């Protein structure tokens, strides 16, 4: 099965931002495009808006003038649904209500030909449920574009329970022919991206709700230590708190209120107060032109330790040993491998976040996971009220000697980046085990759909197959609500690795 022939007209129903974007993508790919909107005059207005965007592409030398003129000639507003009768594909981008979408597709089924492919751009509703209203649900497929559709490359091609394989394949090839990067996905709440991305927001909000750190600090750690392009608080202010919370709530409800997807009470309060982010001028942050942006917590300069003792290779943080030596701080290696930590001159210990808390131990400071310890510009440290100031000072000074800014947060198990990455890895393994998508497609979706620095399985391979399971298992012991309970898929993944290494512990 191949992509649609360019001579085949394409229709887009619903001419909001997303509908216009999808229409532009099909148009630039070479199709004739029919625009329809139930609101009188809206289709023509949208055609004019798309034409203006094509003009801007010409001004930026991204599109030739002749190609622009040809594209505008292929763009036709439709006065009624009957004008879509000869289309080979109809994509809907209407209101996110199941009854509205079902009624639209029932009408279209009586108008278009039997070989016309029907597609929904829903981001939160079940493709299966939408198709359940059709006589032939096999030709309905989800085509989830990301906003803005002309710019973002990812398209989730979603197969409902009754979607024909030929329909999904046709849609996949068509998206690729349009210059997009398609990923195949089963019909699951949130599909790939909105399902697996939930912990990025949820864990940041949870750390804040536990008074572990303020939004500006958490955002800075996610960016400067974790390698994410934006922090969770600034990103949800950009998306809109109401929009982000609605997706979270939809996924949570669709999974029968699974505790792993529980919405944030703090975010609910923001929505209730009308602080929706940039669009209302205030969300987690004040976005007024003259507003001062809060600064992340950054520790005052401290003296580095005279030396450190390395017990073990620090696992995923092993590069730190090279950085410490390069900074001129002697590294003494303990002949007996007691674990993966550094012992400071004070006698206190410095360890990579592992899901435990500082208060459980005599004198331990935890440091957070980094995407790249050499390039990271900020490191978070976690300590309890019982941690000695000397140990915390030596730990702070050590990382400052490596050229890092240091943010000290509360005694939060798993800290910020580590717990976030571990939960993302877990949900990704769970999704593969349940047939939602392949490892490759999940990594592609998370890199392109939400701009993560690594896909979940890339993280998993880099950190070691047992890392996420061990951290979540420790977190689950400290919060037995089920939120951090490792999935059976992650357990099997870690256990199989242990057996190959000769251990069943």
């Amino acid at each position: 099965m191949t992509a649609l022939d360019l001579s085949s007209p394409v229709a887009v129903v619903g001419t909001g931002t997303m509908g216009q974007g999808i229409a532009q993508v099909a148009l630039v790919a070479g199709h004739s495009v029919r625009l329809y909107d139930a609101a009188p005059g809206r289709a023509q207005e949208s055609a004019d808006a798309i034409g203006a965007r094509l003009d801007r592409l010409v001004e930026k030398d991204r599109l030739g003038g002749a190609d622009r003129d040809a594209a505008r000639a292929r763009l036709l507003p439709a006065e009624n649904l009957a004008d879509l009768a000869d289309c080979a594909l109809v994509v809907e981008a209407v209101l996110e209500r199941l009854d509205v979408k079902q009624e639209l597709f029932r009408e279209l089924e009586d108008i278009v030909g039997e070989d016309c492919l029907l597609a929904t751009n829903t981001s939160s509703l079940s493709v299966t449920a939408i198709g359940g209203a059709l006589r032939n649900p096999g030709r309905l497929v989800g085509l989830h574009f990301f906003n803005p559709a002309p710019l973002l490359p990812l398209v989730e091609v979603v197969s409902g329970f009754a979607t024909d394989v030929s329909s999904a394949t046709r849609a996949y090839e068509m998206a690729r022919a349009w210059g997009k990067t398609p990923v195949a996905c089963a019909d699951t709440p949130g599909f790939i991206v909105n399902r697996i991305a939930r912990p990025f927001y949820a864990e940041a909000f949870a750390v804040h709700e536990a008074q572990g750190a303020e939004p500006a600090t958490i955002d800075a750690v996610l960016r400067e230590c974790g390698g994410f392009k934006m922090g969770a608080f600034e990103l949800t202010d950009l998306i809109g708190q109401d929009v982000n919370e609605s997706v979270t709530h939809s996924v949570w409800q669709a999974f029968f209120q699974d505790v792993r997807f529980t919405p944030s009470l703090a975010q609910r309060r923001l929505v209730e107060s009308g602080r929706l982010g940039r669009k209302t001028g205030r969300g987690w942050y004040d976005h007024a032109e003259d507003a001062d942006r809060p600064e992340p917590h950054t520790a005052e300069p401290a003296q580095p330790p005279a030396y450190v003792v390395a017990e073990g290779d620090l696992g995923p943080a092993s590069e730190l040993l090279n950085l410490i030596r390069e900074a001129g701080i002697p590294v003494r290696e303990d002949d007996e491998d007691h674990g993966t930590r550094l012992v400071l001159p004070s006698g206190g210990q410095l360890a990579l976040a592992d899901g435990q808390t500082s208060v459980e131990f005599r004198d331990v400071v935890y440091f957070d996971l980094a995407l790249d310890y050499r390039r990271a510009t900020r490191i978070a440290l976690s300590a309890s009220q019982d941690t000695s100031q000397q140990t915390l000072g030596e730990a702070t000074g050590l990382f400052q000697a490596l050229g890092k800014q240091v943010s000290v947060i509360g005694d939060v198990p798993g800290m910020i980046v580590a717990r976030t990455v571990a939960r993302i890895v877990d949900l990704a393994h769970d999704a593969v085990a349940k047939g939602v998508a392949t490892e490759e497609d999940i990594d592609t979706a998370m890199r392109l759909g939400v701009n993560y620095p690594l896909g979940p399985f890339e993280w998993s391979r880099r950190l070691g197959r047992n890392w996420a399971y061990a951290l979540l298992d420790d977190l689950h012991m400290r919060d037995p609500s089920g939120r951090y309970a490792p999935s059976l898929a992650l357990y099997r993944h870690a256990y199989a690795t242990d057996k190959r290494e000769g251990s069943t512990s």
Side-chain angles (χ1 to χ4, degrees), residues 107-149:
E107 291 184 51
L108 286 169
E109 200 170 29
D110 292 332
I111 294 170
V112 300
E114 292 183 1
D115 60 345
C116 177
L117 185 64
L118 301 177
T120 171
N121 183 59
T122 184
S123 61
S124 61
L125 299 176
S126 164
V127 174
T128 301
I130 295 171
L134 301 180
R135 293 190 303 274
N136 177 17
R139 62 168 162 171
L140 179 74
V141 65
L143 275 180
H144 182 214
F145 288 79
F146 288 73
N147 193 30

Side-chain angles (χ1 to χ4, degrees), residues 178-203:
W178 288 3
K180 296 301 181 181
T181 302
V183 292
C185 176
D187 186 20
T188 183
F191 308 143
I192 297 175
V193 172
N194 281 331
R195 172 178 176 155
I196 295 174
R198 295 347 292 164
F200 179 74
Y201 313 108
E203 293 312 307

Side-chain angles (χ1 to χ4, degrees), residues 210-489:
Q211 300 188 45
E214 291 304 305
T217 299
I218 297 170
D219 277 352
V221 172
L222 286 168
R223 287 193 316 269
E224 301 169 36
C225 182
F228 294 95
K229 297 298 182 183
M230 297 181 75
F233 297 90
E234 58 189 342
L235 180 55
T236 52
D237 265 4
L238 175 63
I239 294 169
Q241 298 302 330
D242 53 339
V243 174
N244 181 260
E245 192 212 26
S246 176
V247 174
T248 299
H249 195 270
S250 174
V251 172
W252 176 61
Q253 290 284 17
F255 276 114
F256 307 104
Q257 300 186 359
D258 186 329
V259 68
R260 295 176 301 167
F261 301 101
T262 301
S264 162
L265 181 59
Q267 188 179 41
R268 175 94 289 264
R269 292 292 179 257
L270 274 186
V271 174
E272 289 175 337
S273 67
R275 296 184 176 186
L276 306 183
R278 291 190 183 182
K279 62 186 177 183
T280 61
R282 186 158 189 175
W284 295 109
Y285 299 109
D286 186 346
H287 296 280
E289 289 186 10
D290 58 347
D292 293 328
R293 184 66 178 264
E295 294 294 326
H297 172 271
T298 301
E300 294 295 326
Q303 288 295 318
Y307 65 89
V308 296
V309 178
E311 295 185 347
D313 63 2
L314 297 188
S318 59
E319 179 64 9
L320 281 177
L321 296 178
N322 293 327
L323 296 178
I324 293 169
R325 292 187 180 98
E326 291 169 14
I329 299 173
V331 177
R332 304 174 184 175
E333 296 187 7
D334 192 333
D335 292 335
E336 296 185 16
D337 187 352
H338 298 294
T340 54
R341 58 199 173 203
L342 296 174
V343 179
L344 301 167
S346 64
Q349 298 177 3
L350 185 60
L352 176 62
D354 59 6
Q356 301 182 87
T357 57
S358 293
V359 76
E360 300 171 51
F361 303 99
R362 184 181 63 83
D363 199 13
V364 170
V365 173
Y366 281 106
F367 64 92
D368 210 347
L369 178 70
L371 172 67
D372 184 333
Y373 284 99
R374 183 171 291 276
R375 295 184 179 181
T377 58
R378 182 177 299 272
I379 293 292
L381 300 180
S382 174
S384 76
Q385 66 272 19
D386 295 329
T387 304
S388 76
Q389 288 302 304
Q390 182 181 356
T391 295
L392 182 57
E394 288 177 345
T396 300
L398 174 65
F399 281 103
Q400 289 173 339
L402 306 186
K404 318 299 182 187
Q405 291 186 305
V406 174
S407 293
V408 179
I409 69 171
D411 190 12
V412 178
M415 301 193 67
I416 298 170
V417 180
R419 70 196 288 177
T420 299
V421 170
R423 288 208 58 216
I424 289 171
V425 168
D426 182 46
L427 289 186
H429 277 279
D430 185 53
V432 169
K434 292 176 178 173
V436 172
T438 66
E439 291 185 9
E440 181 180 3
D441 276 356
I442 288 175
D443 276 354
T444 298
M446 301 313 290
R447 287 197 312 270
L448 299 183
V450 278
N451 210 14
Y452 284 2
L454 294 174
F457 293 97
E458 292 173 314
W459 271 113
S460 186
R461 288 188 289 273
R462 175 184 287 202
L463 297 170
R465 292 170 59 115
N466 189 54
W467 179 84
Y469 174 79
L471 186 143
L472 290 176
D473 194 43
D474 277 337
L475 262 172
H476 177 55
M477 290 179 63
R478 287 150 186 83
D479 179 358
S481 65
R483 178 188 182 102
Y484 300 104
S487 66
L488 180 59

